[in-house]
Amino acid sequence: MRQVTVAATQMACGADEAENVDRAEALVWQAAGQGAQIILLQELFESRYFCQDEDPEDLFRARPAVDHPTLERFARLASDMKVVLPVSFYELAGQARFNTVAVIDANGAQLGLYRKTHIPHGAGYQEKYHFSPGDTGFRVWDTAYGRIGVGICWDQWFPETARAMALQGAELFFFPTAIGSEIGAKEWDSAPHWQRVQQGHAGANLVPLIASNRIGTEPGRHGTEMTFYGSSFITDEFGAKVAEADRTNETVLIHTFDLDTVARNRTYWGVFRDRRPEHYGRLSTLDGGCG
């Protein structure tokens, strides 16, 4: 058996970056204390979700990955606690800015970066103003506890994200997230839809999935506000939820998987044996090949 214990976390973020990072570290300690070996923190946890607005001052939040103080802090933490940490941050690279995750192994080594591929843009989620489209492609990493794939928030709405990582041998999917209420459509609650889509990724690829979202109400700069709905969760390889948080409380979710059993189930089901990629060419076009 290759048993691995994973954790999903959720927390509220305030205006003080140091307090946010301290709170995130406390969740890592809590999760590790419960036996977690790979621990997921939410998207852009250093700050409030600044993409609620298009404000040029927020562009100066971005920092290079090299010598990044939060990455260095969590690398030390990963090494001290022997845990794997996918860490979300706002990356400055030359003149470009990316929504990025650094994957830190259990010895503190940074295994590499994933830059968010799909960039949303809408009321309250004005990410195209702040981020360039990611240029890394979908990636997976061999960590101390298994081969993992990481997508970021809006990536989780695209089945291509999960399938690409599964084809590279991902044994676990991780999705840090920031999603909540819709400005101008307060009656629209996407939480159940958000979960079901990701449950489908897990079930279609026979790969367990771990998703972490934020909680709390955050004000914008121009009179708006957003309430993030938490509901972080973990699914098994069949897409069934095995752990789920509520909408309002800071939470650590823990679950243990036997990756050998998961791999046997994935092989038995045959979804990769029966793929027909020669017929999927339309997926590589924007208009379905209709132009």
Side-chain angles (χ1 to χ4, degrees):
M1 294 189 297
R2 286 192 303 133
Q3 290 198 328
V4 59
T5 301
V6 300
T9 67
Q10 64 182 36
M11 68 181 206
C13 294
D16 189 296
E17 179 177 313
E19 290 181 2
N20 294 330
V21 176
D22 285 347
R23 190 175 297 115
E25 179 174 328
L27 288 176
V28 172
W29 278 97
Q30 183 179 342
Q34 296 179 53
Q37 297 162 299
I38 309 177
I39 302 167
L40 183 64
L41 296 164
Q42 64 212 39
E43 181 185 20
L44 300 172
F45 62 85
E46 292 177 291
S47 67
R48 289 175 174 162
Y49 181 70
F50 52 86
C51 304
Q52 187 174 159
D53 304 293
E54 292 187 5
D55 192 315
E57 287 302 310
D58 287 321
L59 299 175
F60 295 97
R61 296 176 180 272
R63 288 178 286 192
V66 176
D67 299 325
H68 192 293
T70 300
L71 298 185
E72 291 183 342
R73 177 173 176 175
F74 281 87
R76 291 191 297 270
L77 185 63
S79 178
D80 290 346
M81 306 188 74
K82 303 297 183 278
V83 297
V84 174
L85 299 174
V87 179
S88 172
F89 71 106
Y90 189 14
E91 181 194 7
L92 177 66
Q95 297 300 313
R97 290 166 172 79
F98 297 100
N99 188 335
T100 301
V101 164
V103 176
I104 301 172
D105 208 358
N107 61 1
Q110 188 184 117
L111 299 181
L113 303 177
Y114 168 67
R115 292 168 172 166
K116 187 173 182 176
T117 300
H118 302 97
I119 308 298
H121 201 84
Y125 302 93
Q126 300 181 64
E127 293 198 12
K128 283 184 168 63
Y129 179 82
H130 299 89
F131 308 124
S132 296
D135 59 359
T136 60
F138 303 115
R139 302 190 65 189
V140 301
W141 292 270
D142 288 313
T143 75
Y145 305 115
R147 191 168 175 85
I148 71 170
V150 181
I152 303 172
C153 202
W154 191 229
D155 286 331
Q156 65 207 359
W157 294 91
F158 297 84
E160 296 85 355
T161 303
R163 181 51 57 90
M165 294 190 295
L167 288 171
Q168 295 176 77
E171 298 177 292
L172 298 161
F173 295 147
F174 290 86
F175 284 95
T177 306
I179 188 170
S181 58
E182 303 289 334
I183 293 176
K186 293 185 178 180
E187 73 285 355
W188 189 3
D189 178 14
S190 63
H193 184 192
W194 173 73
Q195 289 190 342
R196 286 193 296 268
V197 168
Q198 293 179 86
Q199 289 175 261
H201 297 334
N205 292 285
L206 281 294
V207 175
L209 186 147
I210 300 90
S212 289
N213 191 22
R214 66 175 61 200
I215 56 173
T217 298
E218 299 183 14
R221 294 182 184 272
H222 307 293
T224 60
E225 66 176 23
M226 295 174 62
T227 298
F228 296 89
Y229 51 58
S231 305
S232 303
F233 66 103
I234 301 171
T235 80
D236 65 14
E237 68 270 29
F238 303 111
K241 289 184 285 187
V242 294
E244 181 179 5
D246 66 16
R247 290 172 173 253
T248 59
N249 290 309
E250 185 173 288
T251 306
V252 171
L253 304 174
I254 302 288
H255 192 79
T256 299
F257 293 102
D258 175 5
L259 295 182
D260 286 338
T261 296
V262 172
R264 283 194 293 272
N265 290 334
R266 187 163 51 247
T267 299
Y268 172 82
W269 209 249
V271 294
F272 293 96
R273 176 197 63 203
D274 296 338
R275 293 182 68 251
R276 298 294 304 280
E278 68 272 26
H279 295 293
Y280 303 158
R282 293 183 186 276
L283 298 180
S284 66
T285 70
L286 283 175
D287 66 356
C290 296

